[in-house]
Each structure stands twice: as structure tokens, then as C-alpha cells.
């Protein structure tokens, strides 16, 4: 099956080839990441908790690399506590609300995570993260501690509150992801690599986080409901299902698809802010760090839109597709073309019978028009048909060679 995927998507195979070449084991011409001691252990934790983020963080400018690695690990520790359903409510809220002080406590560790928490080891050895955090420049520490405080209080609130209204939904996503955008933007400015204004336009930074978080929440509905929780706002799902469990039930599938498409539409509304945010980023490694998750998100939303499989399982974009997106996230024009391509896919899947048809069409048309107007040469041309034809020729040639190889030997 993987072989067929590569044949049917030759540009992804090419992207995978260059990714492997670029990330091959380093030789004398490719210097290794220069870290040692406890900071090396922090990068090991980074690899353990997120392979995808680990790669882009390690490619960041040296002025930012360690700070963002530690920022990620601190928030991952906070998130691990929030996700752990075995921690009693009162204790969990106390940990979340005080985590911004805990990160200054020498030697603090946590060994009470549930047996199914995949990142529990990070908390077991969290004293290593604390030690390195306290070595950061004070400006970085202040930003990270401030975001951790606000996020912890927000998470604590939603251990008791439920996501009912669209306002709740936006607030919850702000606490768990929008604040990450705030923190990163402030760190970019603090480093001097980006203009001071980047750390001040926090509404745009918030939208960057919300687009990612809403994409994940939309995709993860089956897994979340089976785990006994749901982050889809009741204001959306209650129009199409009596209970959260009904959302993923087969008999309710047609109605639940309407809810799914409304969730996708809600996420798509953030695209103008995403484009505006990326337009202000100048440092190449910072741009790529910001752009890669956004291109992954638009690809995921396009995959989820009008796709009943989302209600049955956790759908993911192909590995080759992800590698291609990484290679296309180097500059703003390329990112705009990626968004345009996936907006066209959403447009093709938009069903006139769906209640969100008109809203989706409005959002997609405007986003495509804005992108086309900002691109040199106008709207991108879709070469999918040509690539597919080439792939068929290659595949036919391989089959012919295989069938006739014995005669040639």
C-alpha cells in the first residue's frame, strides 16, 4: 500500500528523498547540534515527546533554540498533568494553577502520573528542565513563566467547566494554544530576530494557535469521545446529536457529518489571520518554524472536511504528504500556494446539500481571492493531473520490467 501511495504521489516521493538527504546522519561537513549535559537531556525529552516539533525546533536560530525547547517542555509537562484523568480534581487544579511557580523550584519532580500517560517520564525527571530553564536569560524566563501561569489557570478552569458555547470554545482554545502563540511571538521579539511589533500583535498570534488547536479538536473527536470527553462546543454538536456519544454512532452519521463540517468551517475562519501573521515574519528559521504547523493544519482540515472516517478513527495526512509540506514551508509565496491547493480540495468536497455550504463557499472564495491577489502571476495552476499521468507511466514501466525481467536475464 505504501508503494502505491508513493507511485500515485511522485512529488511526495521526491520530497521524501530530499528530506532524507538533508537529515541524514551528520558527517564532518554537517555540524551536530552543540549541546551537552542537562540541555542535551532536554533535547532528548523533546525527541521523546514530539518528533515533529523536535526537528523544527532544533533547526531554529541559536538565539531562540534552547528557549523554545524549554518552553515546549514546560508546557508539555503542564499538558501532561491536564490530560491525566487519574489525578484527583482538586490536586490537578492546584498543580495547574501553581505550575508557573513550580518551574522555579529546584529538584521538583512528579511521579504520580497514571500508567497510560506517555509523557510521564518527562515529569519524573522534570528537575532537569527546571535547572536549564533557570539558566535562560531573564527576559525569556519572564515570558515563559507568564504564559505558563495564564495557561495553567485556564486549564484548571476547564477541569470543571464544559465547552458549551462558541465563546467557551474560543476561550478554551486560547488557553491551550492561543497563549502558545502569544509566548512564541514575544520570544521572537525578545530575541531581536523579529521586530518588536511581532510580540505586540497578539490577536494574530492567538489566531495562529486557534487554527492549530481547532484542527486537532476537529480531527480527534472519535478518540476524545471514547476517552469520555468532548471539546466540540455543545452549541454546534447539539444541533445534530442528542449526546456526545451519539456524534460518533453509525445511525447518526448523516447528521454528525453536518456537525463535522461546521467544526471545519469554524477553523477555516482563521486563515486570513494566519496569512497576515506569517507575512510579518522575516527570520528564515522562525518563518519555517511557524509555517510548517500551519500547512499541516490546512492539509488536515481538507482531509477531515466532509470525511465520515473522522467519526470512526483518528485520520492523518500521509507521511509523504507531510514531508512535502515541510519542503514547501520555506517562504510566504510557497505557503500561500499550499493553502490555495487545499482550499481547492475543500471547495471540491463542499456539498450544496450541507447546511454549511454557503459559509464554506464564502470563506474559501475570499481566501483564494486574497491569496491569488498576493501571489506573483496570480492563482496557482494545479498540476495534479500531469503528475498522476507521469505516475501511471512510471508504474506501468515498473510492472512491465518486473514481468519481463526473467526474459532479459
Amino acid at each position: 500500500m505504501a508503494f502505491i501511495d508513493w507511485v500515485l504521489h511522485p512529488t511526495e516521493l521526491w520530497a521524501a528523498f530530499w528530506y532524507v538527504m538533508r537529515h541524514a546522519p551528520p558527517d564532518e561537513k554537517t555540524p551536530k547540534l552543540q549541546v551537552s549535559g542537562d540541555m542535551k537531556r532536554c533535547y532528548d525529552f523533546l525527541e521523546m515527546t514530539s518528533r515533529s516539533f523536535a526537528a523544527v525546533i532544533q533547526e531554529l536560530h541559536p538565539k531562540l533554540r534552547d528557549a523554545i525547547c524549554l518552553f515546549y517542555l514546560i508546557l508539555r509537562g503542564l499538558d501532561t498533568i491536564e490530560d491525566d484523568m487519574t489525578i484527583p480534581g482538586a490536586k490537578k487544579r492546584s498543580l495547574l494553577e501553581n505550575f508557573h511557580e513550580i518551574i522555579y523550584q529546584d529538584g521538583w519532580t512528579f511521579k504520580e502520573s497514571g500508567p497510560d500517560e506517555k509523557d510521564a517520564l518527562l515529569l519524573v525527571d522534570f528537575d532537569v528542565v527546571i535547572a536549564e530553564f533557570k539558566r535562560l536569560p531573564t527576559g525569556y524566563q519572564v515570558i515563559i513563566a507568564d504564559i505558563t501561569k495564564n495557561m495553567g489557570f485556564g486549564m484548571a478552569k476547564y477541569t470543571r467547566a464544559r465547552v458549551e458555547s462558541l465563546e467557551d470554545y474560543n476561550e478554551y482554545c486560547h488557553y491551550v494554544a492561543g497563549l502558545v502563540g502569544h509566548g512564541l511571538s514575544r520570544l521572537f521579539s525578545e530575541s531581536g530576530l523579529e521586530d518588536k511589533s511581532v510580540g505586540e500583535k497578539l490577536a494574530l498570534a492567538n489566531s495562529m494557535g486557534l487554527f492549530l488547536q481547532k484542527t486537532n479538536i476537529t480531527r480527534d473527536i472519535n478518540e476524545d469521545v471514547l476517552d469520555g470527553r468532548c471539546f466540540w462546543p455543545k452549541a454546534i454538536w447539539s444541533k445534530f446529536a442528542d449526546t456526545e456519544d451519539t456524534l460518533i454512532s453509525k445511525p447518526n452519521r448523516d447528521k454528525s457529518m453536518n456537525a463535522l463540517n461546521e467544526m471545519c468551517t469554524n477553523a477555516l475562519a482563521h486563515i486570513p489571520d494566519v496569512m497576515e501573521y506569517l507575512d510579518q515574519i522575516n527570520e528564515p528559521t522562525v518563518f519555517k518554524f511557524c509555517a510548517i504547523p500551519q500547512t499541516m493544519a490546512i492539509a488536515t482540515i481538507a482531509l477531515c472536511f466532509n470525511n465520515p472516517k473522522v467519526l470512526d478513527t483518528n485520520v492523518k495526512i500521509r507521511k509523504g504528504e507531510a514531508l512535502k509540506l515541510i519542503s514547501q514551508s520555506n517562504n510566504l509565496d510557497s505557503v500561500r500556494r499550499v493553502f490555495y491547493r487545499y482550499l481547492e480540495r475543500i471547495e471540491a468536497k463542499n456539498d450544496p446539500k450541507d447546511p454549511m455550504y454557503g459559509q464554506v463557499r464564502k470563506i474559501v472564495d475570499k481566501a483564494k481571492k486574497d491569496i491569488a491577489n498576493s501571489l506573483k502571476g496570480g492563482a496557482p495552476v494545479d498540476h495534479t493531473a500531469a503528475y498522476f499521468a507521469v505516475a501511471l507511466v512510471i508504474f506501468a514501466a515498473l510492472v512491465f520490467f518486473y514481468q519481463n525481467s526473467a526474459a532479459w536475464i
Side-chain angles (χ1 to χ4, degrees), residues 87-94 159:
I87 301 175
K91 183 170 186 175
K92 178 185 288 190
R93 283 187 289 276
S94 176
T159 61

Side-chain angles (χ1 to χ4, degrees), residues 124-140:
V124 170
D125 291 328
F126 205 73
D127 55 327
V128 175
V129 177
I130 291 173
E132 288 302 318
F133 165 73
K134 292 176 69 175
R135 292 190 179 98
L136 288 175
T138 303
Y140 287 159

Side-chain angles (χ1 to χ4, degrees), residues 38-46 70 73 128-129 132:
D38 283 349
M39 197 61 220
K40 183 179 184 305
R41 290 184 65 195
C42 288
Y43 280 104
D44 290 340
F45 286 136
L46 183 65
L70 293 164
L73 292 177
V128 175
V129 177
E132 288 302 318

Side-chain angles (χ1 to χ4, degrees), residues 108-366:
W108 185 90
T109 61
F110 186 77
K111 302 177 182 179
E112 301 170 44
S113 298
D116 296 327
E117 288 305 314
K118 61 184 179 65
D119 295 329
L121 185 60
L122 171 64
L123 291 175
V124 170
D125 291 328
F126 205 73
D127 55 327
V128 175
V129 177
I130 291 173
E132 288 302 318
F133 165 73
K134 292 176 69 175
R135 292 190 179 98
L136 288 175
T138 303
Y140 287 159
Q141 290 186 38
V142 169
I143 293 168
I144 293 171
D146 182 51
I147 297 301
T148 303
K149 177 180 179 180
N150 291 330
M151 186 178 290
F153 273 90
M155 287 178 168
K157 174 180 177 178
Y158 279 93
T159 61
R160 288 181 285 196
R162 294 178 66 82
V163 180
E164 301 274 350
S165 66
L166 292 178
E167 290 75 17
D168 294 338
Y169 185 43
N170 285 327
E171 182 182 64
Y172 174 76
C173 291
H174 164 72
Y175 282 133
V176 300
L179 284 171
V180 179
H182 283 200
L184 289 172
S185 298
R186 291 167 62 187
L187 289 171
F188 298 158
S189 294
E190 179 69 20
S191 72
L193 296 173
E194 296 294 344
D195 191 78
K196 183 180 178 182
S197 62
V198 172
E200 296 172 344
K201 296 178 181 178
L202 297 182
L204 295 179
N206 188 64
S207 245
M208 290 279 284
L210 263 61
F211 185 55
L212 301 182
Q213 186 65 22
K214 288 181 176 182
T215 297
N216 290 336
I217 286 174
T218 300
R219 180 197 60 194
D220 294 343
I221 182 61
N222 178 272
E223 180 182 319
D224 284 340
V225 170
L226 292 178
D227 284 345
R229 57 189 180 182
C230 179
F231 297 105
W232 284 21
K234 188 175 182 180
I236 290 179
W237 67 256
S238 63
K239 292 186 289 186
F240 308 104
D242 294 330
T243 67
E244 295 161 348
D245 290 335
T246 307
L247 266 176
I248 63 172
S249 67
K250 296 284 187 182
N252 200 64
R253 186 51 41 92
D254 289 344
K255 291 182 179 179
S256 296
M257 286 299 296
N258 292 333
L260 170 62
N261 289 342
E262 187 166 343
M263 290 293 295
C264 290
T265 307
N266 185 283
L268 289 172
H270 294 284
I271 289 177
D273 282 352
V274 170
M275 293 291 103
E276 187 176 349
Y277 182 92
L278 292 175
D279 193 26
Q280 67 180 342
I281 300 299
N282 294 306
E283 205 283 323
T285 66
V286 173
F287 182 88
K288 191 165 186 174
F289 174 79
C290 295
I292 289 174
Q294 303 298 325
T295 57
M296 298 284 189
I298 187 61
T300 301
I301 282 292
L303 176 63
C304 290
F305 184 76
N306 216 18
N307 183 359
K309 291 181 180 179
V310 175
L311 302 170
D312 296 323
T313 188
N314 188 275
V315 301
K316 293 183 178 181
I317 59 177
R318 297 181 304 276
K319 188 171 292 185
E321 187 175 7
L323 295 176
K324 182 178 177 181
L325 290 170
I326 290 172
S327 71
Q328 294 177 330
S329 298
N330 291 317
N331 60 74
L332 186 57
D333 260 15
S334 183
V335 169
R336 284 169 173 158
R337 294 176 189 278
V338 168
F339 268 74
Y340 194 97
R341 181 170 75 242
Y342 285 105
L343 286 167
E344 286 192 313
R345 294 188 189 183
I346 293 169
E347 186 176 47
K349 294 166 72 176
N350 194 19
D351 187 348
K353 297 178 183 178
D354 190 281
M356 297 306 297
Y357 173 80
Q359 186 68 13
V360 172
R361 184 174 178 179
K362 181 180 178 181
I363 291 173
V364 170
D365 283 351
K366 184 180 185 307

